[in-house]
Amino acid sequence: MFNSLFLTALIIFLLGLIYKVSNWFVKKIVAPGQTITTFQRMRSAAGGIFSVVFSPKLLIVLRVILVDVLLQGRVFREDVTRWLAHMLIFYGFMLLLLMHALDSVVTEALFSDYYATVNPFFFLRDLFGAMVIVGVAMAVFRRYFLKTPRLRTGHRDHYAIIVLAVVMFSGIGLEGLKITSHSEFMRMVEDYAGMDDEEEIQALEAVWVDQFGLVSPNIQGPFDDDLLSAGYEVHEGNCLDCHASAKWAFTGFTMAKLMKPVAVPLDHADGITILWYIHIIACFAGLAYLPFSKMFHIFAVPLCLIAGQVMDPKRSLPANILTRQMVELDACTHCGSCSLHCSAGMIYEALGNEYILPSEKMTFLKKMVYSSPPDDRQMKAIQQGVYLCTNCDRCTVRCPSGIQLRELWYAVREALLVKGPSPAAILTPFSFARGLLIQPTLHADDYTPDSYTHLTLPTTCRV
């Protein structure tokens, strides 16, 4: 059952990853005057990667990986609190993944004396889990209680928080239930201690009830000193080498204390198996849905940050610009930094049009590229949103993911003009911005409404 679930989740994850990456070379916002094939975009990307790897720009890549990816330098400069939450979630989850979920592959290979219930591993597992929970709590507080101005929370944000919360709390609940479980205690006695003396088992059980959080249906404290003394001797001879005190697993031990009143009924109902399935299914569901969720930014953001530093604004090929823009759509974390510092944000507060905010324009872009075309109401709202943009570039400067946002807004304007006529009051500013970006190859007398297909981007606009 476990292997089937894991294999299914892994296949869905890999197929989703292939689908998302392939879209980087297939989808586009708009490319006036250019017919660039998928093969050309892939070839250009491969050539660009090759030229960076075998050039001094490789040092820039390494610096970006260290400062902006691993240390999250751009997030730190933007908001220290959000940086701390992000670091706690990312590193806590990754360390938990490596040391717990992949312990048979990673931890056992690195440490010959590894055993899950001995220190430091017993303590570290709970420490990493606590890091994730604190980070999630900070994210929840920011989105739902702090009421950060202009920060809008969508279903993708809800999903990211919910799936992490379910994975972590089901894991802690499972650990807590194992600590209290009498059937789990008896299984360990049979499998590892090999004891058959009833008096010794009873003495050991008394110690585990007194010190390890075990909830027994047979005996309850307080216990006399002679019984505990005998139990400690049994514990030292059979359990001490492979099981540290449950108190070191501080999150699970706290949960065990909370579950104590219902521990025996849960144990009789095979609660460990139920929680195990909830935990595993939540983990595998998160893995399968990762390429289609907000969490895919863990792959896209590093590429976006690197591309922003190594791509030459004057020499980058149009094919690579199109590909980078698709990566940027997946790199957006919907953090709201761009909207918080948007020069047109005060107009949003007056009009209520969410597409005035840069973060919501990014949401529109994703829908426009990947799903159905916008309806009339959305079209009018996005036209107003990009028209009211002041092109101040504050959103680009503030973006922790390194997205070239102003460039995207120019592309959106062109895409909207290509899709159909705009209201007269908006068309003139659109045309002005379009004229700044595009140089006609036709004589003015030869221009027709469809001749935008013969226009090309000037080299000064190729980033």
Side-chain angles (χ1 to χ4, degrees):
M1 178 72 174
F2 172 85
N3 291 334
S4 299
L5 287 173
F6 174 71
L7 184 60
T8 302
L10 183 61
I11 290 174
I12 296 174
F13 167 78
L14 293 175
L15 290 175
L17 188 63
I18 293 171
Y19 168 76
K20 293 292 287 188
V21 173
S22 65
N23 279 333
W24 292 348
F25 303 98
V26 175
K27 302 289 186 178
K28 60 185 177 181
I29 300 173
V30 69
Q34 300 163 352
T35 303
I36 302 175
T37 65
T38 298
F39 176 75
Q40 289 173 324
R41 289 168 67 172
M42 295 178 67
R43 184 179 62 184
S44 296
I49 294 172
F50 182 85
S51 65
V52 169
V53 171
F54 295 97
S55 75
K57 287 185 177 181
L58 182 60
L59 297 176
I60 299 177
V61 174
L62 297 176
R63 178 184 62 81
V64 172
I65 292 175
L66 175 62
V67 177
D68 293 331
V69 177
L70 297 179
L71 298 179
Q72 295 294 307
R74 290 179 67 97
V75 180
F76 180 82
R77 291 190 293 270
E78 177 63 27
D79 188 328
V80 176
T81 303
R82 188 154 58 85
W83 171 83
L84 179 60
H86 197 276
M87 293 289 280
L88 288 171
I89 294 174
F90 177 75
Y91 282 103
F93 199 85
M94 292 305 298
L95 290 170
L96 199 60
L97 175 68
L98 295 174
M99 199 198 77
H100 175 53
L102 301 177
D103 58 353
S104 61
V105 178
V106 178
T107 318
E108 289 183 6
L110 295 176
F111 303 98
S112 58
D113 57 347
Y114 169 76
Y115 198 76
T117 52
V118 299
N119 282 329
F121 312 107
F122 202 29
F123 168 75
L124 288 177
R125 181 177 60 197
D126 276 51
L127 176 63
F128 299 151
M131 288 169 59
V132 178
I133 290 174
V134 172
V136 170
M138 293 174 68
V140 169
F141 178 77
R142 176 174 181 263
R143 284 200 172 269
Y144 300 102
F145 299 98
L146 190 59
K147 302 298 182 182
T148 302
R150 305 173 191 170
L151 177 63
R152 299 177 63 86
T153 301
H155 69 278
R156 293 162 64 90
D157 305 302
H158 296 308
Y159 161 78
I161 292 174
I162 289 172
V163 72
L164 283 174
V166 172
V167 168
M168 298 312 303
F169 282 107
S170 63
I172 293 174
L174 179 60
E175 185 177 53
L177 193 54
K178 284 184 176 180
I179 290 173
T180 63
S181 171
H182 184 261
S183 60
E184 187 71 8
F185 168 78
M186 294 304 298
R187 184 190 65 79
M188 289 190 294
V189 169
E190 294 173 4
D191 292 349
Y192 300 106
M195 299 166 54
D196 54 10
D197 188 309
E198 292 295 332
E199 292 185 357
E200 287 186 345
I201 294 175
Q202 186 180 32
L204 180 63
E205 188 172 335
V207 170
W208 277 63
V209 170
D210 188 63
Q211 295 293 324
F212 286 77
L214 174 66
V215 179
S216 172
N218 305 320
I219 58 175
Q220 295 181 354
F223 304 102
D224 62 71
D225 294 339
D226 291 339
L227 181 63
L228 290 176
S229 178
Y232 277 118
E233 290 183 8
V234 176
H235 174 74
E236 290 175 1
N238 295 277
C239 307
L240 187 61
D241 292 337
C242 62
H243 206 301
S245 172
K247 294 178 181 178
W248 284 104
F250 58 95
T251 59
F253 192 75
T254 301
M255 182 63 71
K257 291 292 186 183
L258 296 174
M259 298 170 67
K260 187 175 181 179
V262 294
V264 173
L266 286 176
D267 193 25
H268 289 162
D270 200 13
I272 289 178
T273 301
I274 295 172
L275 269 180
W276 184 85
Y277 274 108
I278 292 174
H279 183 66
I280 291 298
I281 290 174
C283 291
F284 290 167
L287 174 65
Y289 193 55
L290 190 151
F292 311 98
S293 72
K294 173 184 175 179
M295 303 304 292
F296 188 66
H297 75 266
I298 63 176
F299 299 102
V301 168
L303 296 176
C304 185
L305 290 168
I306 291 171
Q309 292 295 315
V310 301
M311 290 182 68
D312 191 325
K314 296 182 178 180
R315 298 181 181 179
S316 294
L317 298 174
N320 285 338
I321 293 175
L322 293 178
T323 302
R324 191 202 65 208
Q325 288 177 345
M326 291 303 101
V327 176
E328 288 174 336
L329 292 186
D330 288 325
C332 177
T333 64
H334 203 239
C335 67
S337 292
C338 53
S339 295
L340 180 62
H341 299 282
C342 177
S343 298
M346 63 184 70
I347 306 177
Y348 155 73
E349 294 168 4
L351 300 179
N353 179 2
E354 63 181 13
Y355 291 138
I356 294 173
L357 300 177
S359 59
E360 304 315 309
K361 285 201 283 280
M362 288 296 289
T363 301
F364 170 84
L365 266 183
K366 293 177 182 180
K367 292 179 181 178
M368 186 179 75
V369 171
Y370 289 108
S371 60
S372 58
D375 56 32
D376 292 340
R377 183 192 63 81
Q378 289 177 319
M379 182 66 74
K380 291 179 181 178
I382 194 63
Q383 286 173 338
Q384 184 183 64
V386 293
Y387 161 61
L388 292 173
C389 173
T390 64
N391 301 323
C392 67
D393 212 26
R394 292 173 70 182
C395 54
T396 303
V397 173
R398 292 284 186 170
C399 179
S401 300
I403 302 172
Q404 304 298 312
L405 290 166
R406 185 174 63 171
E407 211 178 275
L408 287 176
W409 310 151
Y410 288 146
V412 174
R413 287 168 173 166
E414 185 62 25
L416 292 175
L417 286 174
V418 170
K419 284 181 177 294
S422 302
I426 297 178
L427 184 58
T428 300
F430 272 0
S431 299
F432 176 73
R434 191 186 191 195
L436 292 177
L437 283 174
I438 302 173
Q439 294 178 344
T441 57
L442 300 176
H443 188 273
D445 294 338
D446 298 326
Y447 182 80
T448 67
D450 294 328
S451 60
Y452 68 85
T453 56
H454 303 289
L455 307 180
T456 56
L457 289 171
T459 57
T460 54
C461 297
R462 296 178 184 176
V463 179

